[in-house]
Amino acid sequence: MRSTTSSLPERLELTGEGLVLRDWSEGDLTAMPALFDNPDTAYWTPIVSPFDATAARNRLKRARQLREEGTTILLAITVDGGAPLGEVMLRRAPEGTEIGYAVGPAHRGQGLAVRAVRVMAAYAFEQLDAEQVILELEADNAASVAVARKAGFGLLDRPLIEGEDKGRAFELQTWGLNRPRA
């Protein structure tokens, strides 16, 4: 696995698979609670719950800070650059280049997560020189396991990642997708 220390771009917009992945803006703050303040998101992700206007402001601020630090990109998932339908994340860490996602309840079942993961993986391979991208998922999260499979990821032979979040113990499997060979 190759690591990179290059900085992340100040602004980013990725297109492909019928999506526009773009930076979050202040104009998105009112839409964020409808996307992230729901039981599924609270249960399966580390996104804070309840997710209200204050949480939205804090998330936007944290997204900008992480980008500036060069570790993480958080982008709104849209179909046209307009209204956000969810979020896709790319995080550079010692264990690998990780992708994460959350799609608002009203927008699930449209393949948004699968497409956003594929677009973000292509960015990681082409622009960040990643050799592999990973997803860390709970085995019981059937929807996310389906996203991993549909996006071409395979379950890796790595130890489970054990932890606790929001008072709940979890075990994460690591799924991987290798850089395509020419």
Side-chain angles (χ1 to χ4, degrees), residues 46-85:
I47 294 175
V48 300
S49 179
F51 195 97
D52 56 14
T54 299
R57 280 190 298 281
N58 290 340
R59 188 153 184 90
L60 180 60
K61 180 180 175 184
R62 183 74 174 138
R64 290 175 175 165
Q65 178 185 6
L66 292 169
R67 174 90 60 94
E68 189 175 301
E69 291 171 2
T71 61
T72 306
I73 298 170
L74 297 170
L75 298 176
I77 300 170
T78 77
V79 293
D80 57 4
L85 309 174

mmCIF file of all heavy atoms in Angstrom, residues 46-85:
data_model
loop_
_atom_site.group_PDB
_atom_site.id
_atom_site.type_symbol
_atom_site.label_atom_id
_atom_site.label_comp_id
_atom_site.label_asym_id
_atom_site.label_seq_id
_atom_site.Cartn_x
_atom_site.Cartn_y
_atom_site.Cartn_z
ATOM 1 N N PRO A 46 -20.845 6.899 12.388
ATOM 2 C CA PRO A 46 -20.424 7.731 13.516
ATOM 3 C C PRO A 46 -20.997 9.149 13.466
ATOM 4 O O PRO A 46 -20.657 9.978 14.309
ATOM 5 C CB PRO A 46 -18.897 7.743 13.383
ATOM 6 C CG PRO A 46 -18.635 7.506 11.941
ATOM 7 C CD PRO A 46 -19.756 6.635 11.439
ATOM 8 N N ILE A 47 -21.873 9.444 12.512
ATOM 9 C CA ILE A 47 -22.490 10.778 12.435
ATOM 10 C C ILE A 47 -23.292 11.008 13.705
ATOM 11 O O ILE A 47 -24.027 10.122 14.158
ATOM 12 C CB ILE A 47 -23.367 10.905 11.170
ATOM 13 C CG1 ILE A 47 -22.475 10.837 9.920
ATOM 14 C CG2 ILE A 47 -24.176 12.203 11.186
ATOM 15 C CD1 ILE A 47 -23.230 10.821 8.600
ATOM 16 N N VAL A 48 -23.150 12.204 14.276
ATOM 17 C CA VAL A 48 -23.799 12.502 15.558
ATOM 18 C C VAL A 48 -25.313 12.392 15.454
ATOM 19 O O VAL A 48 -25.907 12.601 14.406
ATOM 20 C CB VAL A 48 -23.405 13.897 16.102
ATOM 21 C CG1 VAL A 48 -21.914 13.996 16.335
ATOM 22 C CG2 VAL A 48 -23.902 15.003 15.204
ATOM 23 N N SER A 49 -25.915 12.058 16.593
ATOM 24 C CA SER A 49 -27.367 11.956 16.686
ATOM 25 C C SER A 49 -27.782 12.479 18.060
ATOM 26 O O SER A 49 -27.154 12.113 19.049
ATOM 27 C CB SER A 49 -27.794 10.499 16.520
ATOM 28 O OG SER A 49 -29.185 10.384 16.627
ATOM 29 N N PRO A 50 -28.789 13.316 18.131
ATOM 30 C CA PRO A 50 -29.572 13.836 17.002
ATOM 31 C C PRO A 50 -28.737 14.785 16.136
ATOM 32 O O PRO A 50 -27.759 15.373 16.599
ATOM 33 C CB PRO A 50 -30.731 14.573 17.672
ATOM 34 C CG PRO A 50 -30.258 14.894 19.056
ATOM 35 C CD PRO A 50 -29.247 13.835 19.420
ATOM 36 N N PHE A 51 -29.141 14.887 14.883
ATOM 37 C CA PHE A 51 -28.438 15.743 13.929
ATOM 38 C C PHE A 51 -29.352 16.924 13.616
ATOM 39 O O PHE A 51 -30.342 16.801 12.906
ATOM 40 C CB PHE A 51 -28.108 14.968 12.650
ATOM 41 C CG PHE A 51 -27.093 15.666 11.789
ATOM 42 C CD1 PHE A 51 -25.750 15.319 11.866
ATOM 43 C CD2 PHE A 51 -27.468 16.682 10.927
ATOM 44 C CE1 PHE A 51 -24.797 15.969 11.090
ATOM 45 C CE2 PHE A 51 -26.531 17.335 10.148
ATOM 46 C CZ PHE A 51 -25.194 16.983 10.228
ATOM 47 N N ASP A 52 -29.007 18.083 14.197
ATOM 48 C CA ASP A 52 -29.831 19.281 14.051
ATOM 49 C C ASP A 52 -29.032 20.390 13.359
ATOM 50 O O ASP A 52 -27.950 20.131 12.809
ATOM 51 C CB ASP A 52 -30.331 19.737 15.425
ATOM 52 C CG ASP A 52 -29.199 19.977 16.419
ATOM 53 O OD1 ASP A 52 -28.015 20.051 16.007
ATOM 54 O OD2 ASP A 52 -29.492 20.096 17.619
ATOM 55 N N ALA A 53 -29.537 21.609 13.406
ATOM 56 C CA ALA A 53 -28.864 22.733 12.737
ATOM 57 C C ALA A 53 -27.455 22.960 13.302
ATOM 58 O O ALA A 53 -26.526 23.257 12.546
ATOM 59 C CB ALA A 53 -29.709 23.997 12.872
ATOM 60 N N THR A 54 -27.291 22.803 14.603
ATOM 61 C CA THR A 54 -25.968 22.965 15.205
ATOM 62 C C THR A 54 -25.022 21.873 14.721
ATOM 63 O O THR A 54 -23.868 22.147 14.371
ATOM 64 C CB THR A 54 -26.071 22.950 16.749
ATOM 65 O OG1 THR A 54 -26.907 24.042 17.151
ATOM 66 C CG2 THR A 54 -24.711 23.069 17.398
ATOM 67 N N ALA A 55 -25.514 20.646 14.658
ATOM 68 C CA ALA A 55 -24.689 19.534 14.156
ATOM 69 C C ALA A 55 -24.300 19.776 12.696
ATOM 70 O O ALA A 55 -23.174 19.463 12.293
ATOM 71 C CB ALA A 55 -25.436 18.216 14.301
ATOM 72 N N ALA A 56 -25.205 20.329 11.918
ATOM 73 C CA ALA A 56 -24.907 20.621 10.507
ATOM 74 C C ALA A 56 -23.782 21.647 10.401
ATOM 75 O O ALA A 56 -22.827 21.461 9.635
ATOM 76 C CB ALA A 56 -26.167 21.115 9.793
ATOM 77 N N ARG A 57 -23.868 22.728 11.175
ATOM 78 C CA ARG A 57 -22.805 23.747 11.159
ATOM 79 C C ARG A 57 -21.469 23.143 11.590
ATOM 80 O O ARG A 57 -20.436 23.416 10.992
ATOM 81 C CB ARG A 57 -23.180 24.930 12.057
ATOM 82 C CG ARG A 57 -24.139 25.911 11.403
ATOM 83 C CD ARG A 57 -24.304 27.182 12.228
ATOM 84 N NE ARG A 57 -24.865 26.945 13.550
ATOM 85 C CZ ARG A 57 -26.150 26.748 13.808
ATOM 86 N NH1 ARG A 57 -27.023 26.757 12.827
ATOM 87 N NH2 ARG A 57 -26.573 26.546 15.039
ATOM 88 N N ASN A 58 -21.514 22.321 12.642
ATOM 89 C CA ASN A 58 -20.285 21.681 13.130
ATOM 90 C C ASN A 58 -19.703 20.727 12.090
ATOM 91 O O ASN A 58 -18.483 20.650 11.932
ATOM 92 C CB ASN A 58 -20.550 20.946 14.440
ATOM 93 C CG ASN A 58 -20.805 21.893 15.588
ATOM 94 O OD1 ASN A 58 -20.447 23.072 15.536
ATOM 95 N ND2 ASN A 58 -21.447 21.383 16.627
ATOM 96 N N ARG A 59 -20.558 20.004 11.376
ATOM 97 C CA ARG A 59 -20.069 19.065 10.360
ATOM 98 C C ARG A 59 -19.414 19.812 9.200
ATOM 99 O O ARG A 59 -18.371 19.406 8.702
ATOM 100 C CB ARG A 59 -21.199 18.172 9.851
ATOM 101 C CG ARG A 59 -20.688 17.054 8.936
ATOM 102 C CD ARG A 59 -21.604 15.857 8.968
ATOM 103 N NE ARG A 59 -21.080 14.763 8.186
ATOM 104 C CZ ARG A 59 -20.277 13.822 8.656
ATOM 105 N NH1 ARG A 59 -19.887 13.851 9.917
ATOM 106 N NH2 ARG A 59 -19.838 12.842 7.881
ATOM 107 N N LEU A 60 -20.015 20.909 8.775
ATOM 108 C CA LEU A 60 -19.441 21.714 7.693
ATOM 109 C C LEU A 60 -18.079 22.270 8.130
ATOM 110 O O LEU A 60 -17.102 22.192 7.386
ATOM 111 C CB LEU A 60 -20.384 22.848 7.296
ATOM 112 C CG LEU A 60 -19.895 23.762 6.183
ATOM 113 C CD1 LEU A 60 -19.649 22.989 4.888
ATOM 114 C CD2 LEU A 60 -20.908 24.882 5.949
ATOM 115 N N LYS A 61 -18.002 22.779 9.327
ATOM 116 C CA LYS A 61 -16.743 23.308 9.853
ATOM 117 C C LYS A 61 -15.688 22.209 9.938
ATOM 118 O O LYS A 61 -14.538 22.400 9.533
ATOM 119 C CB LYS A 61 -16.980 23.921 11.240
ATOM 120 C CG LYS A 61 -15.744 24.501 11.880
ATOM 121 C CD LYS A 61 -16.072 25.083 13.254
ATOM 122 C CE LYS A 61 -14.817 25.564 13.945
ATOM 123 N NZ LYS A 61 -15.100 26.045 15.307
ATOM 124 N N ARG A 62 -16.077 21.029 10.448
ATOM 125 C CA ARG A 62 -15.145 19.908 10.581
ATOM 126 C C ARG A 62 -14.701 19.408 9.201
ATOM 127 O O ARG A 62 -13.531 19.069 9.011
ATOM 128 C CB ARG A 62 -15.804 18.784 11.381
ATOM 129 C CG ARG A 62 -14.877 17.611 11.636
ATOM 130 C CD ARG A 62 -13.851 17.958 12.694
ATOM 131 N NE ARG A 62 -13.073 16.759 12.999
ATOM 132 C CZ ARG A 62 -11.765 16.769 13.172
ATOM 133 N NH1 ARG A 62 -11.094 17.891 13.122
ATOM 134 N NH2 ARG A 62 -11.128 15.656 13.425
ATOM 135 N N ALA A 63 -15.603 19.369 8.228
ATOM 136 C CA ALA A 63 -15.252 18.942 6.868
ATOM 137 C C ALA A 63 -14.166 19.845 6.301
ATOM 138 O O ALA A 63 -13.197 19.365 5.698
ATOM 139 C CB ALA A 63 -16.485 18.957 5.965
ATOM 140 N N ARG A 64 -14.293 21.130 6.506
ATOM 141 C CA ARG A 64 -13.297 22.076 6.007
ATOM 142 C C ARG A 64 -11.964 21.914 6.731
ATOM 143 O O ARG A 64 -10.905 21.989 6.122
ATOM 144 C CB ARG A 64 -13.836 23.497 6.123
ATOM 145 C CG ARG A 64 -14.963 23.738 5.128
ATOM 146 C CD ARG A 64 -15.605 25.075 5.285
ATOM 147 N NE ARG A 64 -16.600 25.278 4.226
ATOM 148 C CZ ARG A 64 -17.517 26.203 4.245
ATOM 149 N NH1 ARG A 64 -17.586 27.055 5.267
ATOM 150 N NH2 ARG A 64 -18.381 26.315 3.254
ATOM 151 N N GLN A 65 -12.021 21.688 8.030
ATOM 152 C CA GLN A 65 -10.803 21.496 8.819
ATOM 153 C C GLN A 65 -10.060 20.229 8.382
ATOM 154 O O GLN A 65 -8.844 20.248 8.189
ATOM 155 C CB GLN A 65 -11.159 21.410 10.301
ATOM 156 C CG GLN A 65 -9.976 21.155 11.200
ATOM 157 C CD GLN A 65 -10.400 20.956 12.658
ATOM 158 O OE1 GLN A 65 -11.578 20.890 12.988
ATOM 159 N NE2 GLN A 65 -9.424 20.844 13.533
ATOM 160 N N LEU A 66 -10.775 19.128 8.209
ATOM 161 C CA LEU A 66 -10.151 17.869 7.800
ATOM 162 C C LEU A 66 -9.537 17.977 6.412
ATOM 163 O O LEU A 66 -8.465 17.432 6.152
ATOM 164 C CB LEU A 66 -11.167 16.729 7.852
ATOM 165 C CG LEU A 66 -11.635 16.338 9.255
ATOM 166 C CD1 LEU A 66 -12.826 15.389 9.168
ATOM 167 C CD2 LEU A 66 -10.499 15.732 10.059
ATOM 168 N N ARG A 67 -10.191 18.689 5.513
ATOM 169 C CA ARG A 67 -9.642 18.886 4.169
ATOM 170 C C ARG A 67 -8.353 19.680 4.251
ATOM 171 O O ARG A 67 -7.358 19.350 3.624
ATOM 172 C CB ARG A 67 -10.663 19.619 3.293
ATOM 173 C CG ARG A 67 -10.168 20.022 1.921
ATOM 174 C CD ARG A 67 -10.389 18.987 0.848
ATOM 175 N NE ARG A 67 -11.767 18.663 0.662
ATOM 176 C CZ ARG A 67 -12.572 19.226 -0.227
ATOM 177 N NH1 ARG A 67 -12.117 20.127 -1.055
ATOM 178 N NH2 ARG A 67 -13.822 18.858 -0.317
ATOM 179 N N GLU A 68 -8.374 20.748 5.052
ATOM 180 C CA GLU A 68 -7.179 21.577 5.213
ATOM 181 C C GLU A 68 -6.020 20.779 5.806
ATOM 182 O O GLU A 68 -4.865 20.966 5.427
ATOM 183 C CB GLU A 68 -7.507 22.780 6.105
ATOM 184 C CG GLU A 68 -6.411 23.804 6.172
ATOM 185 C CD GLU A 68 -6.846 25.028 6.960
ATOM 186 O OE1 GLU A 68 -7.838 25.668 6.557
ATOM 187 O OE2 GLU A 68 -6.187 25.331 7.975
ATOM 188 N N GLU A 69 -6.332 19.851 6.720
ATOM 189 C CA GLU A 69 -5.304 18.994 7.321
ATOM 190 C C GLU A 69 -4.776 17.955 6.325
ATOM 191 O O GLU A 69 -3.758 17.321 6.573
ATOM 192 C CB GLU A 69 -5.868 18.277 8.550
ATOM 193 C CG GLU A 69 -6.146 19.212 9.706
ATOM 194 C CD GLU A 69 -6.909 18.535 10.839
ATOM 195 O OE1 GLU A 69 -7.205 17.314 10.749
ATOM 196 O OE2 GLU A 69 -7.235 19.233 11.817
ATOM 197 N N GLY A 70 -5.497 17.760 5.214
ATOM 198 C CA GLY A 70 -5.061 16.827 4.177
ATOM 199 C C GLY A 70 -5.422 15.382 4.424
ATOM 200 O O GLY A 70 -4.855 14.487 3.801
ATOM 201 N N THR A 71 -6.393 15.130 5.316
ATOM 202 C CA THR A 71 -6.740 13.746 5.635
ATOM 203 C C THR A 71 -8.064 13.278 5.047
ATOM 204 O O THR A 71 -8.202 12.095 4.729
ATOM 205 C CB THR A 71 -6.807 13.522 7.156
ATOM 206 O OG1 THR A 71 -7.820 14.370 7.711
ATOM 207 C CG2 THR A 71 -5.470 13.802 7.814
ATOM 208 N N THR A 72 -9.035 14.171 4.927
ATOM 209 C CA THR A 72 -10.393 13.730 4.628
ATOM 210 C C THR A 72 -11.106 14.689 3.682
ATOM 211 O O THR A 72 -10.970 15.908 3.810
ATOM 212 C CB THR A 72 -11.212 13.610 5.937
ATOM 213 O OG1 THR A 72 -10.500 12.760 6.839
ATOM 214 C CG2 THR A 72 -12.593 13.040 5.702
ATOM 215 N N ILE A 73 -11.888 14.103 2.782
ATOM 216 C CA ILE A 73 -12.759 14.858 1.888
ATOM 217 C C ILE A 73 -14.191 14.408 2.167
ATOM 218 O O ILE A 73 -14.484 13.216 2.146
ATOM 219 C CB ILE A 73 -12.433 14.568 0.404
ATOM 220 C CG1 ILE A 73 -11.018 15.000 0.057
ATOM 221 C CG2 ILE A 73 -13.450 15.240 -0.506
ATOM 222 C CD1 ILE A 73 -10.560 14.520 -1.320
ATOM 223 N N LEU A 74 -15.082 15.336 2.439
ATOM 224 C CA LEU A 74 -16.516 15.073 2.568
ATOM 225 C C LEU A 74 -17.218 15.830 1.453
ATOM 226 O O LEU A 74 -17.093 17.052 1.366
ATOM 227 C CB LEU A 74 -17.041 15.537 3.931
ATOM 228 C CG LEU A 74 -16.467 14.847 5.158
ATOM 229 C CD1 LEU A 74 -16.895 15.557 6.429
ATOM 230 C CD2 LEU A 74 -16.895 13.396 5.201
ATOM 231 N N LEU A 75 -17.946 15.105 0.597
ATOM 232 C CA LEU A 75 -18.646 15.730 -0.521
ATOM 233 C C LEU A 75 -20.129 15.397 -0.475
ATOM 234 O O LEU A 75 -20.513 14.275 -0.122
ATOM 235 C CB LEU A 75 -18.074 15.236 -1.856
ATOM 236 C CG LEU A 75 -16.612 15.529 -2.140
ATOM 237 C CD1 LEU A 75 -16.188 14.890 -3.454
ATOM 238 C CD2 LEU A 75 -16.338 17.031 -2.148
ATOM 239 N N ALA A 76 -20.938 16.367 -0.875
ATOM 240 C CA ALA A 76 -22.368 16.136 -1.021
ATOM 241 C C ALA A 76 -22.599 15.318 -2.283
ATOM 242 O O ALA A 76 -22.001 15.579 -3.326
ATOM 243 C CB ALA A 76 -23.112 17.470 -1.116
ATOM 244 N N ILE A 77 -23.476 14.327 -2.180
ATOM 245 C CA ILE A 77 -23.892 13.545 -3.349
ATOM 246 C C ILE A 77 -25.088 14.266 -3.962
ATOM 247 O O ILE A 77 -26.097 14.477 -3.292
ATOM 248 C CB ILE A 77 -24.305 12.117 -2.961
ATOM 249 C CG1 ILE A 77 -23.152 11.363 -2.285
ATOM 250 C CG2 ILE A 77 -24.822 11.354 -4.181
ATOM 251 C CD1 ILE A 77 -23.563 10.029 -1.664
ATOM 252 N N THR A 78 -24.962 14.634 -5.239
ATOM 253 C CA THR A 78 -26.069 15.256 -5.966
ATOM 254 C C THR A 78 -26.157 14.612 -7.343
ATOM 255 O O THR A 78 -25.225 13.947 -7.785
ATOM 256 C CB THR A 78 -25.879 16.779 -6.142
ATOM 257 O OG1 THR A 78 -24.935 17.025 -7.189
ATOM 258 C CG2 THR A 78 -25.415 17.460 -4.860
ATOM 259 N N VAL A 79 -27.278 14.848 -8.024
ATOM 260 C CA VAL A 79 -27.374 14.372 -9.404
ATOM 261 C C VAL A 79 -27.059 15.490 -10.392
ATOM 262 O O VAL A 79 -26.769 15.220 -11.545
ATOM 263 C CB VAL A 79 -28.749 13.745 -9.722
ATOM 264 C CG1 VAL A 79 -28.947 12.460 -8.928
ATOM 265 C CG2 VAL A 79 -29.877 14.714 -9.456
ATOM 266 N N ASP A 80 -27.097 16.733 -9.911
ATOM 267 C CA ASP A 80 -26.932 17.857 -10.834
ATOM 268 C C ASP A 80 -26.137 19.022 -10.240
ATOM 269 O O ASP A 80 -26.125 20.110 -10.803
ATOM 270 C CB ASP A 80 -28.303 18.369 -11.267
ATOM 271 C CG ASP A 80 -29.171 18.789 -10.079
ATOM 272 O OD1 ASP A 80 -28.680 18.762 -8.915
ATOM 273 O OD2 ASP A 80 -30.343 19.133 -10.302
ATOM 274 N N GLY A 81 -25.496 18.805 -9.112
ATOM 275 C CA GLY A 81 -24.770 19.879 -8.444
ATOM 276 C C GLY A 81 -25.659 20.687 -7.520
ATOM 277 O O GLY A 81 -25.178 21.587 -6.841
ATOM 278 N N GLY A 82 -26.940 20.366 -7.484
ATOM 279 C CA GLY A 82 -27.895 21.114 -6.663
ATOM 280 C C GLY A 82 -28.099 20.495 -5.297
ATOM 281 O O GLY A 82 -27.159 20.346 -4.514
ATOM 282 N N ALA A 83 -29.342 20.113 -5.025
ATOM 283 C CA ALA A 83 -29.728 19.628 -3.706
ATOM 284 C C ALA A 83 -28.945 18.382 -3.306
ATOM 285 O O ALA A 83 -28.829 17.429 -4.078
ATOM 286 C CB ALA A 83 -31.220 19.322 -3.679
ATOM 287 N N PRO A 84 -28.402 18.378 -2.070
ATOM 288 C CA PRO A 84 -27.686 17.193 -1.590
ATOM 289 C C PRO A 84 -28.654 16.056 -1.284
ATOM 290 O O PRO A 84 -29.739 16.273 -0.739
ATOM 291 C CB PRO A 84 -26.983 17.691 -0.331
ATOM 292 C CG PRO A 84 -27.801 18.823 0.152
ATOM 293 C CD PRO A 84 -28.416 19.452 -1.070
ATOM 294 N N LEU A 85 -28.224 14.832 -1.629
ATOM 295 C CA LEU A 85 -29.023 13.635 -1.389
ATOM 296 C C LEU A 85 -28.341 12.716 -0.383
ATOM 297 O O LEU A 85 -28.936 11.755 0.100
ATOM 298 C CB LEU A 85 -29.225 12.883 -2.707
ATOM 299 C CG LEU A 85 -29.737 13.728 -3.882
ATOM 300 C CD1 LEU A 85 -29.765 12.905 -5.158
ATOM 301 C CD2 LEU A 85 -31.091 14.317 -3.569
#
